[in-house]
Amino acid sequence: MEQQEKTEQTLSAKESKAMKKEEKRKLKETKREQKAGKIGKKRKKAPVIIAAIIIILIMIRMVSCAFSGSAGVMVSTTNAFRGDIEENVSTSGKVVSEEKAVLFAPVGGRLNEVNVAAGDAVKAGDVLMTYDMERMEERLQEATLQQTKSSASYNSTMTENSKSQAKLNEANTNLAVLDQQLTDYRAYLKELQDKLAKSQRETQRQLSEESYELSRKSADLSKELQNSATSADRAKEINKELQDISASQARNSYVQSIAGSSDYVVNMQNEIASVQEHIEECETYKAKMQAQKDAGEGSILNGYQSQGYAADRDLAQLTYKEAEEQYYSAKKGIVADFDGIVTECTGVSGASVAEGTQLITLESSQNVKVSFDASKSDVAKLAIGQKVDITISGNKYEGEISKINRMATLNASNTPMVGVEVHLTNPDDKIILGLDAKLTVHTNSAQDTLLIPVEAINADKNGDFLYVIENGMVVKRAITCGISSDEYAEVLEGITGEDQIIVNSLTGVSLEEGMAVTAVPMEQ
C-alpha cells in the first residue's frame, strides 16, 4: 500500500510537471502570435505529440486513482486574474468612394477630344473632355450683335422719352406757376382799379360838396346884400366874402377839371397798365406751355410700352450672357473637380451632345470608405467614431466608423444585416476602389479588470455560468460578463480571484453539479 502511494505521488508529480511544461509552451506560443500581429485569434491546438503525452498522463492518473481507490474526474482549472482587455469585431468589407460626381454636358455642342476612359485615375483640374469651339464662337458673336442692337434701340427710345417727359414736367410746372401768377395779377389789378375808382369818387364827392356849399353861401350873402336893411359896413363885408367865395369856386372848378390827370391818378393808371401787360404775357406763355404739354403727353411712352422695350433689351442681354457662359464653359471643357477614378465614361470624340447629357462618373480616391454588413450581435457593439484597423491589398490603413444604418436588410441567407460605413483617415494612391478590405473594429476596452478564459464560460436559459470547485465538488456559479476577446472575458459579478474555476474536463466527461473532480491547474 505504501509503495502504491509512492507510485501515485510519483506519477502525479510527473503529470503535474508535464502539464506545467505544456502550459508554458502554450503561453510562449501565444506571446509569439501576439508579437506577430495575431492578437484576438484563438491559440492553435497543441501538436498531436503533445496531445498524446497528455492522454498518457491522464491514463496514468486514472490508473493511480484506481489503485488508490480515489474517485473524481480530472479537470483543468484556473483562477480569475486582473488585467487589460480589448474587444474587437473582425469582418470584411468593400472599398468604395465617399464622394461621387456625375458630370453632365454643361452646354449642347460637338465633343472634340475625350481624354479618359473608365478606370483612369485623374487629378483635380484635369480636362477630361473638350468641345469643338467654332460653333460656340459663332453663337456668341450673334448674341453679342443682337444685344448691342437691342441696347442701342432701348437707349435711344428712352432718351427721347426722357426729353419728352422733361418737357411735359416743365410744362406742368410752369402752367401751375402761371395759373397762380394770373390769379395774383388779376386780383392785384382789381385791387388797383377799385382803389383808383374809390379815390376818384371821393375826390369828386368832396369837390361837389365844396362847390355846393360855396354856391349856397354865395346865394345867402347875395340875398343879405340886397336887403335894404343891410348897413354899408356889412355890405362891404358881404362883398368881400362874395369875392372870396368866387375865388374858391374858381379853384374848385379848376381842381375838378384836373382831377383825372393828377399824379396819383396817373401813377395808379400806369400801375394798372403794367399789371395788365403782365397778365397778357402770362396768358401768352401759358398758351405756349399748354401746347408743349399736349405734345409731351402724346409722345411719352406708357407703362406697357416701356415694359416692352425693357423686356426686349433684357431678353437680348440674357441671351448674350447665356451664350457667353456657354462659350466659356465649353472652352473650359469637362474638368475633374477632385482627385478620383473615372468609373463610367459615355462621351465619344466627334459626337454631338445635348446640354445635360450624362458623360462621366467620377469617384473620389481621397475621400474613401469601406462598407460592410454587420450581424445583430456585432452591431450592438458598434458605435459612431470607433477606431478601425483596415488592410487593403496588404497595405495598412486607419479609419473610424462614420455611419450605421438605422434599417436592416436581408442578405442571401435571409438574415437581417445592418450596413456600416468606415471612413479612411489616411488614404493613399495605392487604394483601388471595389477591392475587399479586412477590418478590425476596436469596439471596447477595460483596464485592470477581472478576466477568465472564454472556454470556461457556459450558458443556459438563465444566462452565463461557470463550474467551480468547492470541497472537491463541482458547483454551478452564475456570472455577469462584460466585454470579451477571443481568449478572455471580463467578469463583472459572480466570482473572485480566489475561486477555482473549471476550464474543461480533461477526460471528455460532461460536468454536472455535485460531481467529484480532481483539479489540474493551468498556468496563466
Side-chain angles (χ1 to χ4, degrees):
M1 186 69 177
E2 183 178 352
Q3 180 63 35
Q4 196 173 20
E5 289 178 355
K6 290 181 179 180
T7 302
E8 181 181 348
Q9 291 174 357
T10 303
L11 289 174
S12 179
K14 290 181 178 180
E15 177 184 318
S16 176
K17 185 176 182 180
M19 291 295 289
K20 289 182 178 179
K21 289 177 66 177
E22 173 60 14
E23 290 300 323
K24 288 182 179 179
R25 186 197 66 76
K26 288 184 178 181
L27 182 59
K28 291 180 180 178
E29 183 181 356
T30 301
K31 290 181 177 179
R32 285 198 299 269
E33 288 178 349
Q34 291 175 343
K35 290 180 179 178
K38 297 182 179 179
I39 297 175
K41 294 185 177 180
K42 291 185 177 181
R43 290 177 288 180
K44 296 181 178 178
K45 295 181 179 179
V48 176
I49 187 170
I50 301 301
I53 294 173
I54 295 175
I55 292 172
I56 292 171
L57 292 173
I58 292 173
M59 291 178 65
I60 294 172
R61 179 66 174 172
M62 291 175 65
V63 170
S64 67
C65 289
F67 276 111
S68 63
S70 63
V73 177
M74 294 182 64
V75 293
S76 60
T77 63
T78 188
N79 296 98
F81 65 95
R82 303 200 74 82
D84 299 339
I85 186 172
E86 182 177 67
E87 183 180 60
N88 297 323
V89 172
S90 296
T91 185
S92 62
K94 189 174 292 294
V95 181
V96 294
S97 176
E98 285 186 314
E99 184 176 6
K100 179 179 178 180
V102 178
L103 306 182
F104 301 91
V107 296
R110 187 188 299 268
L111 295 178
N112 186 27
E113 294 181 353
V114 178
N115 301 322
V116 294
D120 287 351
V122 298
K123 295 290 186 182
D126 285 353
V127 178
L128 311 182
M129 295 183 184
T130 61
Y131 277 88
D132 182 347
M133 296 303 297
E134 183 177 352
R135 175 55 187 154
M136 295 295 174
E137 291 175 356
E138 292 176 358
R139 189 184 305 173
L140 178 59
Q141 187 176 7
E142 290 174 2
T144 301
L145 293 174
Q146 184 60 39
Q147 189 268 343
T148 301
K149 176 183 176 182
S150 177
S151 181
S153 175
Y154 175 81
N155 290 337
S156 175
T157 302
M158 292 300 106
T159 298
E160 292 301 319
N161 188 64
S162 296
K163 291 180 180 179
S164 298
Q165 186 65 57
K167 289 182 178 180
L168 176 60
N169 292 340
E170 179 188 28
N172 286 331
T173 300
N174 289 342
L175 284 172
V177 173
L178 288 169
D179 284 341
Q180 185 61 49
Q181 287 180 341
L182 284 171
T183 298
D184 294 342
Y185 278 137
R186 285 171 180 152
Y188 184 48
L189 176 63
K190 186 175 184 309
E191 180 183 351
L192 291 175
Q193 289 174 336
D194 290 345
K195 190 175 182 179
L196 177 61
K198 182 179 179 181
S199 175
Q200 289 177 329
R201 286 194 300 273
E202 183 64 22
T203 301
Q204 185 62 36
R205 183 188 64 78
Q206 291 178 355
L207 290 173
S208 296
E209 289 178 355
E210 182 184 23
S211 176
Y212 172 78
E213 185 65 26
L214 290 173
S215 296
R216 183 188 62 77
K217 191 174 182 179
S218 176
D220 290 342
L221 290 173
S222 296
K223 185 177 180 181
E224 183 181 358
L225 182 63
Q226 291 174 0
N227 190 345
S228 58
T230 302
S231 63
D233 292 335
R234 176 58 184 159
K236 187 177 180 180
E237 289 178 2
I238 291 173
N239 286 328
K240 178 67 172 70
E241 288 180 9
L242 288 173
Q243 289 177 355
D244 292 338
I245 289 173
S246 178
S248 294
Q249 288 177 330
R251 183 178 57 80
N252 182 278
S253 296
Y254 174 75
V255 170
Q256 287 190 40
S257 65
I258 65 171
S261 59
S262 66
D263 290 343
Y264 174 78
V265 172
V266 171
N267 288 336
M268 290 291 288
Q269 289 175 340
N270 289 339
E271 183 67 15
I272 290 171
S274 176
V275 172
Q276 289 175 333
E277 184 179 352
H278 283 308
I279 290 174
E280 290 176 359
E281 290 176 352
C282 287
E283 287 178 341
T284 301
Y285 192 51
K286 179 180 178 181
K288 180 180 177 181
M289 289 296 100
Q290 186 62 51
Q292 181 173 312
K293 176 182 179 181
D294 294 340
E297 290 176 340
S299 61
I300 289 176
L301 300 176
N302 59 38
Y304 297 109
Q305 291 172 322
S306 297
Q307 290 177 3
Y309 281 108
D312 289 341
R313 178 203 59 182
D314 294 343
L315 180 60
Q317 180 69 15
L318 288 174
T319 302
Y320 165 74
K321 286 184 177 180
E322 182 180 4
E324 183 182 41
E325 289 174 358
Q326 290 180 345
Y327 173 81
Y328 286 107
S329 181
K331 188 175 182 180
K332 179 182 177 182
I334 310 298
V335 180
D337 294 330
F338 49 80
D339 294 354
I341 308 297
V342 176
T343 57
E344 185 179 2
C345 180
T346 59
V348 178
S349 179
S352 294
V353 295
E355 181 179 350
T357 301
Q358 181 176 330
L359 298 176
I360 291 175
T361 300
L362 180 64
E363 298 188 32
S364 174
S365 59
Q366 298 298 313
N367 295 325
V368 182
K369 64 185 177 183
V370 176
S371 297
F372 70 91
D373 291 330
S375 64
K376 179 176 67 174
S377 59
D378 283 343
V379 80
K381 304 174 185 178
L382 303 179
I384 301 296
Q386 287 176 341
K387 301 301 180 183
V388 184
D389 294 332
I390 305 167
T391 303
I392 305 172
S393 299
N395 299 311
K396 305 293 184 180
Y397 302 94
E398 297 176 355
E400 61 181 34
I401 293 179
S402 58
K403 180 181 179 182
I404 301 175
N405 288 346
R406 300 298 298 273
M407 181 180 70
T409 57
L410 299 178
N411 63 8
S413 303
N414 210 33
T415 302
M417 304 294 284
V418 177
V420 182
E421 295 179 1
V422 176
H423 171 73
L424 269 73
T425 56
N426 60 335
D428 56 27
D429 293 337
K430 297 178 183 179
I431 292 178
I432 298 177
L433 300 180
L435 288 182
D436 290 335
K438 295 181 180 180
L439 307 172
T440 299
V441 184
H442 302 284
T443 57
N444 209 341
S445 65
Q447 287 73 43
D448 192 30
T449 188
L450 202 60
L451 303 177
I452 61 172
V454 292
E455 57 263 37
I457 302 174
N458 302 280
D460 59 15
K461 63 180 182 180
N462 295 320
D464 296 329
F465 67 89
L466 297 174
Y467 288 122
V468 299
I469 299 176
E470 293 183 4
N471 300 321
M473 309 293 286
V474 175
V475 175
K476 186 177 179 180
R477 183 77 60 80
I479 60 171
T480 301
C481 293
I483 64 175
S484 64
S485 66
D486 288 340
E487 292 183 277
Y488 297 102
E490 178 186 24
V491 180
L492 302 177
E493 293 180 358
I495 61 169
T496 68
E498 303 301 323
D499 290 319
Q500 194 172 19
I501 301 167
I502 298 176
V503 179
N504 52 43
S505 170
L506 294 176
T507 62
V509 177
S510 297
L511 300 176
E512 295 181 3
E513 193 169 18
M515 179 183 290
V517 292
T518 300
V520 179
M522 295 174 57
E523 289 190 8
Q524 294 184 355

